[in-house]
């Protein structure tokens, strides 16, 4: 997280990073760390909980401050399709346990999906900065280390220790992360398009389908799309992006012809 923050503010660019991933992580931290306000906390825990929220806030501010470097077309993940199902599952699994416990359960279900928008950005972007790749490897690797911690606790305490929600979420995170690592290891270029693995293509297909379904529902019900790209890209967004690429390609061709003419 610190690596991403330093990279963004040093280069003064958020290219290659997903704002939606930061939004999801901020939601995770705020809903999980409500006990900071209700229970006595050790200095160590308080420091890290506040630091996580502060770093994510600084990242979100960077997206606003360096908005000209942000490519919303690649950050196409449908947040509504993540927020609503996880909220429903969290409510069903923890209803009646109290507000703080329900919010903690929500954060547990939400966290495994927080990196999904970042993976989508990396798979869609025509050019991915090495810093963005290192950020994904650092955050994903950190989460993968939790698996070692769970294995140790299970070995030490046997059946007395079980956390099925965390185990399921951790398994999902590890599958997506190691798939990304394998795809990166197959690259020959340091900078450029990453492309998607078979699992990545499935992820992009689900993202496209969710965006188009949301577009259809929103246009039929409220007559417009939700703001800030909350529900992902639809057919209209795809057409707009295609036209932008066509204009860009024509400009490149014209500049190339002019250079060849001048050289001749």
């Amino acid at each position: 997280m610190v690596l991403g923050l330093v990279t963004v503010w040093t280069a003064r660019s958020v290219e290659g990073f997903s704002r939606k991933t930061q939004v999801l992580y901020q939601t995770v931290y705020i809903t999980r760390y409500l006990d900071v306000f209700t229970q006595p906390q050790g200095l160590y825990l308080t420091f890290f909980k506040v630091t996580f929220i502060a770093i994510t806030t600084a990242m979100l501010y960077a997206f606003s401050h360096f908005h000209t470097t942000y490519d919303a077309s690649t950050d196409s993940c449908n947040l509504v399709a993540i927020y609503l199902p996880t909220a429903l599952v969290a409510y069903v699994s923890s209803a009646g346990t109290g507000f703080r416990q329900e919010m903690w359960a929500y954060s547990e279900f939400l966290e495994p999906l927080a990196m999904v928008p970042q993976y989508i950005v990396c798979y869609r972007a025509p050019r991915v900065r090495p810093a963005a790749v290192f950020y994904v490897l650092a955050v994903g690797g950190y989460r993968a280390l939790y698996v070692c911690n769970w294995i140790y606790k299970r070995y030490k305490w046997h059946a007395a220790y079980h956390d099925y929600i965390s185990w399921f979420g951790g398994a999902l995170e590890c599958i997506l992360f190691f798939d990304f690592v394998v795809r990166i290891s197959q690259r020959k270029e340091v900078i450029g398009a990453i492309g998607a693995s078979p699992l990545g293509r499935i992820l992009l297909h689900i993202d496209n389908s969710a965006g188009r379904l949301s577009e259809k529902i929103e246009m039929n019900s409220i007559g417009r799309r939700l703001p800030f790209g909350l529900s992902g890209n639809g057919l209209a967004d795809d057409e707009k992006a295609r036209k932008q690429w066509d204009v860009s390609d024509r400009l490149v061709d014209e500049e190339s012809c002019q250079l060849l003419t001048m050289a001749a």
Side-chain angles (χ1 to χ4, degrees), residues 38-258:
T38 60
Q39 293 183 345
Q41 301 282 317
L43 182 61
Y44 173 82
L45 287 176
T46 302
F47 171 77
F48 276 99
K49 290 177 180 180
V50 172
T51 299
F52 284 152
I53 294 174
I55 290 176
T56 312
T57 301
M59 282 290 287
L60 288 172
Y61 176 73
F63 279 92
S64 175
H65 193 65
F66 308 125
H67 61 91
T68 56
T69 64
Y70 173 61
D71 185 4
S73 64
T74 59
D75 199 5
S76 61
C77 185
N78 190 327
L79 289 186
V80 176
I82 292 178
Y83 275 122
L84 291 184
T86 51
L88 179 62
V89 173
Y91 176 76
V92 170
S93 65
S94 62
T97 58
F99 178 74
R100 188 169 63 83
Q101 189 65 23
E102 289 171 356
M103 289 295 99
W104 178 87
Y106 180 48
S107 73
E108 284 288 298
F109 284 110
L110 191 61
E111 186 173 18
L113 303 173
M115 282 296 290
V116 168
Q118 183 63 60
Y119 290 130
I120 290 175
V121 168
C122 290
Y123 289 141
R124 287 195 187 281
R127 176 185 180 275
V128 179
R129 296 162 60 189
V133 175
F134 291 144
Y135 171 78
V136 174
L137 295 177
V139 175
Y142 166 75
R143 292 296 303 165
L145 289 176
Y146 270 78
V147 176
C148 300
N149 182 44
W150 296 331
I151 293 174
Y152 170 75
K153 287 182 178 180
R154 184 69 176 183
Y155 172 77
K156 184 176 181 181
W157 296 323
H158 304 289
Y161 170 69
H162 53 83
D163 188 354
Y164 300 114
I165 295 176
S166 296
W167 295 350
F168 174 78
L172 178 60
E173 284 184 279
C174 287
I175 290 171
L176 293 173
F177 172 68
F178 287 119
D179 176 72
F180 182 81
V181 170
V182 170
R183 181 66 192 93
I184 288 296
S185 67
Q186 295 172 344
R187 294 182 71 204
K188 296 180 180 180
E189 309 86 1
V190 177
I191 299 177
I194 289 179
S197 62
L199 180 59
R201 286 194 290 273
I202 294 174
L203 188 64
L204 293 180
H205 176 72
I206 294 173
D207 180 54
N208 289 333
S209 300
R212 290 169 184 173
L213 177 62
S214 294
E215 179 184 40
K216 203 174 286 186
I217 294 173
E218 291 159 21
M219 296 305 293
N220 290 334
S221 57
I222 61 176
R224 63 187 297 270
R225 299 301 308 276
L226 293 178
F228 310 115
L230 288 175
S231 54
N233 293 346
L235 292 174
D237 300 297
D238 294 340
E239 181 65 20
K240 182 179 178 182
R242 187 187 64 79
K243 289 180 179 178
Q244 289 176 341
W245 278 107
D246 289 344
V247 171
S248 177
D249 290 341
R250 284 199 298 269
L251 288 174
V252 170
D253 291 340
E254 290 174 2
E255 290 177 355
S256 300
C257 290
Q258 290 174 359

